[in-house]
Amino acid sequence: MDDYESVLAVIRECYVYRIPPRVRNAGYKAQEWDVQSFLWKGRLRIVTSGEKCDIRLEDENNGELFAVCPYNPENNSVEPVLDSSRYFVLRIEDNGRHAFVGMGFLERSEAFDFNVALQDFTRRLKSEKEIAESGSTSNDVAVDNDPKHDYSLKDGEMLSLKIGKIGNHGGSKPRDTETTATEGVMPLLPPPPPPVGNRKRRGSPKPQNFSSDFGDFQTA
C-alpha cells in the first residue's frame, strides 16, 4: 500500500525567534533571546509519511509554508532549552542549507502536545524496526526441502522382531514376535507454515522553500 500523510498534531499558534550562536557545548536558554520580539508567528503541524516526520511552520490563514524541520530522533533537529518547558530550538532546512531558530508556545499544554506527538512517532519507528528485524531473522531459517521417505508398512506386510536370549532360564530358544502395521503407529505432525515478510514504506515529498529571511538565522 502506498504511503499516506498522517497529521500527529496541530498547534494553531507558535512563535519563531532569532537566536544567538551556541556557546561551545552548552545548551540553549530562552532568557538569552528577545522573546518579546518574534520573527514570525503562525501554525505548527507535525506530519508523518512512512518513516519520515516533518515539523511544518505554516501561515495560519492560507497554509503557506514558512519553514520545515525534518525530525530525526537520532540528531539534534529538535532540542529543548534549559530554562523553560515552552521553548525549543529547531533545525530548519531548505535546498541543502540549514539554520537553527528558536520556537515557543504560549501555553505549556501546547508544548506538552508537541513533545507527545514526537515521542509517539519515535516509538512507532522503533517498533516497526524491531518487527522488520524479527521477520528478517525468521526468513533466514533454512527450510528442509529433501523428499520425505515413506517407512510405513504396506497392506499385508509383517514386521519381524528377534529377541535374543535373556538370562539362563532353562536354555529357552529365541522366538519370533510378529507385529502388524496397525499396532503402535504414531502420525507425523506437519511442519509450521513459513513466516510472512514485512512491507516497507516510501518517503514523503520534498518540502517547499521557506522565508527569504533564512540568511538571518544562525547557520551551521
Side-chain angles (χ1 to χ4, degrees):
M1 183 176 61
D2 293 336
D3 293 333
Y4 59 91
E5 287 190 349
S6 175
V7 179
L8 298 185
V10 177
I11 300 175
R12 299 191 178 279
E13 192 171 74
C14 71
Y15 296 82
V16 172
Y17 305 91
R18 289 188 177 91
I19 60 175
R22 181 198 293 264
V23 178
R24 298 180 183 177
N25 293 327
Y28 293 98
K29 293 183 180 180
Q31 66 181 2
E32 299 174 352
W33 310 347
D34 184 5
V35 295
Q36 301 302 322
S37 177
F38 55 87
L39 174 68
W40 177 87
K41 180 184 77 170
R43 178 180 65 191
L44 179 146
R45 290 197 308 148
I46 301 178
V47 181
T48 65
S49 177
E51 297 182 352
K52 291 189 176 182
C53 177
D54 289 335
I55 302 170
R56 300 181 182 179
L57 305 177
E58 304 170 337
D59 186 276
E60 56 187 339
N61 296 318
N62 56 26
E64 182 180 356
L65 186 65
F66 169 74
V68 60
C69 170
Y71 176 66
N72 185 342
E74 298 181 356
N75 61 26
N76 63 339
S77 55
V78 177
E79 185 175 348
V81 300
L82 301 177
D83 56 348
S84 175
S85 62
R86 295 185 292 113
Y87 293 91
F88 303 84
V89 175
L90 305 184
R91 185 182 191 271
I92 58 177
E93 295 186 3
D94 176 59
N95 292 330
R97 302 181 301 165
H98 69 268
F100 294 91
V101 298
M103 188 269 295
F105 304 104
L106 289 177
E107 305 292 338
R108 286 185 174 85
S109 59
E110 296 172 334
F112 176 80
D113 293 341
F114 176 75
N115 277 320
V116 168
L118 297 182
Q119 291 170 6
D120 287 345
F121 170 76
T122 301
R123 282 194 294 266
R124 179 178 67 81
L125 204 63
K126 181 179 179 181
S127 177
E128 291 178 353
K129 182 178 180 181
E130 291 175 350
I131 293 175
E133 291 177 350
S134 175
S136 175
T137 302
S138 299
N139 289 332
D140 290 339
V141 177
V143 179
D144 184 9
N145 293 322
D146 294 337
K148 301 297 184 293
H149 300 283
D150 184 8
Y151 295 103
S152 61
L153 298 177
K154 305 298 185 294
D155 292 341
E157 290 184 346
M158 307 291 285
L159 179 63
S160 177
L161 298 177
K162 292 187 181 222
I163 302 177
K165 185 177 180 180
I166 302 176
N168 186 11
H169 299 285
S172 60
K173 297 181 179 180
R175 59 193 180 92
D176 293 341
T177 303
E178 296 180 350
T179 305
T180 64
T182 59
E183 296 177 353
V185 178
M186 297 181 63
L188 297 177
L189 295 177
V196 180
N198 296 312
R199 292 173 292 187
K200 298 182 178 178
R201 297 179 173 181
R202 299 180 300 181
S204 61
K206 184 178 179 181
Q208 304 176 16
N209 296 341
F210 51 84
S211 170
S212 59
D213 292 330
F214 181 86
D216 296 332
F217 301 153
Q218 177 203 345
T219 57

mmCIF file of all heavy atoms in Angstrom, residues 146-176:
data_model
loop_
_atom_site.group_PDB
_atom_site.id
_atom_site.type_symbol
_atom_site.label_atom_id
_atom_site.label_comp_id
_atom_site.label_asym_id
_atom_site.label_seq_id
_atom_site.Cartn_x
_atom_site.Cartn_y
_atom_site.Cartn_z
ATOM 1 N N ASP A 146 14.260 -31.654 1.354
ATOM 2 C CA ASP A 146 14.551 -33.028 0.957
ATOM 3 C C ASP A 146 13.276 -33.845 0.888
ATOM 4 O O ASP A 146 12.345 -33.644 1.685
ATOM 5 C CB ASP A 146 15.503 -33.684 1.966
ATOM 6 C CG ASP A 146 16.873 -33.022 1.949
ATOM 7 O OD1 ASP A 146 17.203 -32.402 0.913
ATOM 8 O OD2 ASP A 146 17.595 -33.119 2.964
ATOM 9 N N PRO A 147 13.191 -34.772 -0.088
ATOM 10 C CA PRO A 147 11.984 -35.610 -0.192
ATOM 11 C C PRO A 147 11.825 -36.487 1.035
ATOM 12 O O PRO A 147 12.796 -36.959 1.620
ATOM 13 C CB PRO A 147 12.240 -36.437 -1.462
ATOM 14 C CG PRO A 147 13.727 -36.431 -1.622
ATOM 15 C CD PRO A 147 14.195 -35.105 -1.089
ATOM 16 N N LYS A 148 10.602 -36.685 1.443
ATOM 17 C CA LYS A 148 10.292 -37.492 2.608
ATOM 18 C C LYS A 148 10.132 -38.960 2.185
ATOM 19 O O LYS A 148 9.567 -39.261 1.140
ATOM 20 C CB LYS A 148 9.004 -36.993 3.284
ATOM 21 C CG LYS A 148 9.075 -35.541 3.726
ATOM 22 C CD LYS A 148 10.156 -35.352 4.776
ATOM 23 C CE LYS A 148 10.175 -33.931 5.308
ATOM 24 N NZ LYS A 148 10.581 -32.953 4.307
ATOM 25 N N HIS A 149 10.671 -39.861 2.991
ATOM 26 C CA HIS A 149 10.583 -41.290 2.727
ATOM 27 C C HIS A 149 9.430 -41.899 3.517
ATOM 28 O O HIS A 149 9.222 -41.557 4.687
ATOM 29 C CB HIS A 149 11.898 -41.993 3.094
ATOM 30 C CG HIS A 149 13.078 -41.485 2.320
ATOM 31 N ND1 HIS A 149 13.330 -41.836 1.012
ATOM 32 C CD2 HIS A 149 14.072 -40.625 2.674
ATOM 33 C CE1 HIS A 149 14.433 -41.245 0.588
ATOM 34 N NE2 HIS A 149 14.901 -40.487 1.581
ATOM 35 N N ASP A 150 8.737 -42.795 2.864
ATOM 36 C CA ASP A 150 7.605 -43.465 3.492
ATOM 37 C C ASP A 150 8.085 -44.788 4.079
ATOM 38 O O ASP A 150 8.421 -45.723 3.362
ATOM 39 C CB ASP A 150 6.499 -43.706 2.457
ATOM 40 C CG ASP A 150 5.253 -44.306 3.101
ATOM 41 O OD1 ASP A 150 5.215 -44.378 4.345
ATOM 42 O OD2 ASP A 150 4.339 -44.699 2.346
ATOM 43 N N TYR A 151 8.149 -44.817 5.430
ATOM 44 C CA TYR A 151 8.604 -46.026 6.112
ATOM 45 C C TYR A 151 7.435 -46.838 6.669
ATOM 46 O O TYR A 151 7.651 -47.786 7.438
ATOM 47 C CB TYR A 151 9.540 -45.645 7.270
ATOM 48 C CG TYR A 151 10.825 -44.998 6.816
ATOM 49 C CD1 TYR A 151 11.005 -43.632 6.920
ATOM 50 C CD2 TYR A 151 11.854 -45.755 6.267
ATOM 51 C CE1 TYR A 151 12.178 -43.025 6.503
ATOM 52 C CE2 TYR A 151 13.037 -45.156 5.849
ATOM 53 C CZ TYR A 151 13.198 -43.797 5.964
ATOM 54 O OH TYR A 151 14.356 -43.198 5.558
ATOM 55 N N SER A 152 6.204 -46.492 6.321
ATOM 56 C CA SER A 152 5.063 -47.241 6.842
ATOM 57 C C SER A 152 4.946 -48.591 6.141
ATOM 58 O O SER A 152 5.410 -48.779 5.014
ATOM 59 C CB SER A 152 3.785 -46.430 6.640
ATOM 60 O OG SER A 152 3.562 -46.196 5.263
ATOM 61 N N LEU A 153 4.331 -49.548 6.830
ATOM 62 C CA LEU A 153 4.131 -50.886 6.276
ATOM 63 C C LEU A 153 2.944 -50.902 5.335
ATOM 64 O O LEU A 153 1.919 -50.276 5.592
ATOM 65 C CB LEU A 153 3.910 -51.894 7.415
ATOM 66 C CG LEU A 153 5.093 -52.058 8.397
ATOM 67 C CD1 LEU A 153 4.710 -53.031 9.496
ATOM 68 C CD2 LEU A 153 6.335 -52.524 7.675
ATOM 69 N N LYS A 154 3.100 -51.596 4.235
ATOM 70 C CA LYS A 154 2.005 -51.743 3.275
ATOM 71 C C LYS A 154 1.038 -52.818 3.758
ATOM 72 O O LYS A 154 1.338 -53.592 4.675
ATOM 73 C CB LYS A 154 2.561 -52.110 1.889
ATOM 74 C CG LYS A 154 3.609 -51.139 1.377
ATOM 75 C CD LYS A 154 3.017 -49.768 1.215
ATOM 76 C CE LYS A 154 4.019 -48.808 0.575
ATOM 77 N NZ LYS A 154 5.173 -48.548 1.428
ATOM 78 N N ASP A 155 -0.124 -52.848 3.112
ATOM 79 C CA ASP A 155 -1.126 -53.849 3.478
ATOM 80 C C ASP A 155 -0.558 -55.248 3.295
ATOM 81 O O ASP A 155 -0.004 -55.593 2.245
ATOM 82 C CB ASP A 155 -2.382 -53.690 2.612
ATOM 83 C CG ASP A 155 -3.111 -52.395 2.929
ATOM 84 O OD1 ASP A 155 -2.854 -51.852 4.019
ATOM 85 O OD2 ASP A 155 -3.916 -51.934 2.087
ATOM 86 N N GLY A 156 -0.711 -56.105 4.310
ATOM 87 C CA GLY A 156 -0.253 -57.491 4.233
ATOM 88 C C GLY A 156 1.167 -57.702 4.679
ATOM 89 O O GLY A 156 1.586 -58.855 4.861
ATOM 90 N N GLU A 157 1.979 -56.610 4.848
ATOM 91 C CA GLU A 157 3.354 -56.772 5.282
ATOM 92 C C GLU A 157 3.430 -56.975 6.791
ATOM 93 O O GLU A 157 2.592 -56.467 7.543
ATOM 94 C CB GLU A 157 4.193 -55.547 4.897
ATOM 95 C CG GLU A 157 4.438 -55.415 3.399
ATOM 96 C CD GLU A 157 5.350 -54.251 3.081
ATOM 97 O OE1 GLU A 157 5.575 -53.411 3.973
ATOM 98 O OE2 GLU A 157 5.816 -54.181 1.932
ATOM 99 N N MET A 158 4.404 -57.747 7.233
ATOM 100 C CA MET A 158 4.575 -58.047 8.644
ATOM 101 C C MET A 158 5.953 -57.573 9.087
ATOM 102 O O MET A 158 6.919 -57.608 8.316
ATOM 103 C CB MET A 158 4.445 -59.563 8.892
ATOM 104 C CG MET A 158 3.154 -60.163 8.329
ATOM 105 S SD MET A 158 1.693 -59.620 9.205
ATOM 106 C CE MET A 158 1.849 -60.573 10.692
ATOM 107 N N LEU A 159 6.059 -57.127 10.315
ATOM 108 C CA LEU A 159 7.328 -56.708 10.897
ATOM 109 C C LEU A 159 7.797 -57.784 11.854
ATOM 110 O O LEU A 159 7.097 -58.138 12.812
ATOM 111 C CB LEU A 159 7.162 -55.372 11.643
ATOM 112 C CG LEU A 159 8.421 -54.828 12.317
ATOM 113 C CD1 LEU A 159 9.481 -54.522 11.276
ATOM 114 C CD2 LEU A 159 8.088 -53.585 13.117
ATOM 115 N N SER A 160 8.985 -58.364 11.588
ATOM 116 C CA SER A 160 9.502 -59.471 12.391
ATOM 117 C C SER A 160 10.619 -58.971 13.274
ATOM 118 O O SER A 160 11.570 -58.357 12.803
ATOM 119 C CB SER A 160 10.009 -60.591 11.472
ATOM 120 O OG SER A 160 10.572 -61.632 12.233
ATOM 121 N N LEU A 161 10.485 -59.171 14.578
ATOM 122 C CA LEU A 161 11.484 -58.766 15.560
ATOM 123 C C LEU A 161 12.043 -60.009 16.235
ATOM 124 O O LEU A 161 11.289 -60.874 16.685
ATOM 125 C CB LEU A 161 10.870 -57.845 16.622
ATOM 126 C CG LEU A 161 10.293 -56.520 16.117
ATOM 127 C CD1 LEU A 161 9.667 -55.766 17.272
ATOM 128 C CD2 LEU A 161 11.370 -55.691 15.450
ATOM 129 N N LYS A 162 13.355 -60.147 16.355
ATOM 130 C CA LYS A 162 14.015 -61.279 17.007
ATOM 131 C C LYS A 162 14.586 -60.802 18.328
ATOM 132 O O LYS A 162 15.359 -59.858 18.363
ATOM 133 C CB LYS A 162 15.115 -61.851 16.122
ATOM 134 C CG LYS A 162 14.569 -62.508 14.877
ATOM 135 C CD LYS A 162 15.649 -63.220 14.109
ATOM 136 C CE LYS A 162 15.015 -63.819 12.861
ATOM 137 N NZ LYS A 162 15.481 -65.154 12.594
ATOM 138 N N ILE A 163 14.165 -61.441 19.388
ATOM 139 C CA ILE A 163 14.632 -61.085 20.729
ATOM 140 C C ILE A 163 15.634 -62.123 21.174
ATOM 141 O O ILE A 163 15.348 -63.334 21.162
ATOM 142 C CB ILE A 163 13.451 -61.004 21.710
ATOM 143 C CG1 ILE A 163 12.443 -59.972 21.215
ATOM 144 C CG2 ILE A 163 13.930 -60.666 23.117
ATOM 145 C CD1 ILE A 163 11.219 -59.859 22.058
ATOM 146 N N GLY A 164 16.821 -61.703 21.560
ATOM 147 C CA GLY A 164 17.874 -62.633 21.947
ATOM 148 C C GLY A 164 17.619 -63.274 23.292
ATOM 149 O O GLY A 164 16.658 -62.946 24.005
ATOM 150 N N LYS A 165 18.503 -64.200 23.661
ATOM 151 C CA LYS A 165 18.390 -64.938 24.907
ATOM 152 C C LYS A 165 18.644 -64.021 26.089
ATOM 153 O O LYS A 165 19.622 -63.298 26.130
ATOM 154 C CB LYS A 165 19.400 -66.082 24.902
ATOM 155 C CG LYS A 165 19.306 -67.004 26.103
ATOM 156 C CD LYS A 165 20.298 -68.129 25.938
ATOM 157 C CE LYS A 165 20.224 -69.073 27.127
ATOM 158 N NZ LYS A 165 21.192 -70.189 26.985
ATOM 159 N N ILE A 166 17.745 -64.033 27.076
ATOM 160 C CA ILE A 166 17.864 -63.189 28.254
ATOM 161 C C ILE A 166 18.061 -64.085 29.458
ATOM 162 O O ILE A 166 17.195 -64.888 29.799
ATOM 163 C CB ILE A 166 16.611 -62.312 28.458
ATOM 164 C CG1 ILE A 166 16.393 -61.440 27.224
ATOM 165 C CG2 ILE A 166 16.727 -61.471 29.716
ATOM 166 C CD1 ILE A 166 15.155 -60.623 27.288
ATOM 167 N N GLY A 167 19.209 -64.009 30.089
ATOM 168 C CA GLY A 167 19.470 -64.788 31.305
ATOM 169 C C GLY A 167 19.558 -66.277 31.021
ATOM 170 O O GLY A 167 19.536 -66.738 29.888
ATOM 171 N N ASN A 168 19.624 -67.088 32.065
ATOM 172 C CA ASN A 168 19.744 -68.542 31.960
ATOM 173 C C ASN A 168 18.542 -69.173 32.615
ATOM 174 O O ASN A 168 18.511 -69.401 33.817
ATOM 175 C CB ASN A 168 21.044 -69.008 32.621
ATOM 176 C CG ASN A 168 21.294 -70.498 32.401
ATOM 177 O OD1 ASN A 168 20.604 -71.114 31.601
ATOM 178 N ND2 ASN A 168 22.263 -71.043 33.131
ATOM 179 N N HIS A 169 17.472 -69.332 31.825
ATOM 180 C CA HIS A 169 16.229 -69.915 32.345
ATOM 181 C C HIS A 169 15.922 -71.155 31.544
ATOM 182 O O HIS A 169 14.972 -71.211 30.761
ATOM 183 C CB HIS A 169 15.073 -68.913 32.249
ATOM 184 C CG HIS A 169 15.316 -67.682 33.047
ATOM 185 N ND1 HIS A 169 15.225 -67.627 34.426
ATOM 186 C CD2 HIS A 169 15.697 -66.430 32.654
ATOM 187 C CE1 HIS A 169 15.509 -66.415 34.865
ATOM 188 N NE2 HIS A 169 15.808 -65.658 33.797
ATOM 189 N N GLY A 170 16.725 -72.193 31.702
ATOM 190 C CA GLY A 170 16.446 -73.463 31.045
ATOM 191 C C GLY A 170 16.811 -73.481 29.594
ATOM 192 O O GLY A 170 16.398 -74.381 28.871
ATOM 193 N N GLY A 171 17.637 -72.521 29.166
ATOM 194 C CA GLY A 171 18.104 -72.551 27.783
ATOM 195 C C GLY A 171 17.015 -72.424 26.759
ATOM 196 O O GLY A 171 17.017 -73.104 25.746
ATOM 197 N N SER A 172 16.058 -71.545 27.019
ATOM 198 C CA SER A 172 14.977 -71.354 26.053
ATOM 199 C C SER A 172 15.510 -70.723 24.789
ATOM 200 O O SER A 172 16.416 -69.901 24.818
ATOM 201 C CB SER A 172 13.880 -70.487 26.655
ATOM 202 O OG SER A 172 14.413 -69.240 27.007
ATOM 203 N N LYS A 173 14.953 -71.058 23.666
ATOM 204 C CA LYS A 173 15.378 -70.555 22.373
ATOM 205 C C LYS A 173 14.695 -69.234 22.051
ATOM 206 O O LYS A 173 13.605 -68.954 22.528
ATOM 207 C CB LYS A 173 15.051 -71.574 21.279
ATOM 208 C CG LYS A 173 15.808 -72.884 21.461
ATOM 209 C CD LYS A 173 15.453 -73.821 20.325
ATOM 210 C CE LYS A 173 16.227 -75.144 20.470
ATOM 211 N NZ LYS A 173 15.904 -76.082 19.368
ATOM 212 N N PRO A 174 15.349 -68.420 21.224
ATOM 213 C CA PRO A 174 14.693 -67.172 20.792
ATOM 214 C C PRO A 174 13.420 -67.490 20.034
ATOM 215 O O PRO A 174 13.331 -68.488 19.337
ATOM 216 C CB PRO A 174 15.732 -66.519 19.886
ATOM 217 C CG PRO A 174 17.027 -67.143 20.256
ATOM 218 C CD PRO A 174 16.706 -68.536 20.687
ATOM 219 N N ARG A 175 12.455 -66.607 20.130
ATOM 220 C CA ARG A 175 11.212 -66.801 19.399
ATOM 221 C C ARG A 175 10.872 -65.546 18.620
ATOM 222 O O ARG A 175 11.253 -64.445 18.992
ATOM 223 C CB ARG A 175 10.065 -67.158 20.342
ATOM 224 C CG ARG A 175 9.778 -66.129 21.420
ATOM 225 C CD ARG A 175 8.874 -66.679 22.492
ATOM 226 N NE ARG A 175 8.597 -65.682 23.530
ATOM 227 C CZ ARG A 175 7.547 -64.868 23.494
ATOM 228 N NH1 ARG A 175 6.708 -64.919 22.475
ATOM 229 N NH2 ARG A 175 7.347 -63.991 24.463
ATOM 230 N N ASP A 176 10.169 -65.740 17.539
ATOM 231 C CA ASP A 176 9.791 -64.623 16.670
ATOM 232 C C ASP A 176 8.556 -63.932 17.203
ATOM 233 O O ASP A 176 7.602 -64.593 17.629
ATOM 234 C CB ASP A 176 9.524 -65.114 15.247
ATOM 235 C CG ASP A 176 10.804 -65.626 14.607
ATOM 236 O OD1 ASP A 176 11.878 -65.255 15.128
ATOM 237 O OD2 ASP A 176 10.710 -66.385 13.628
#
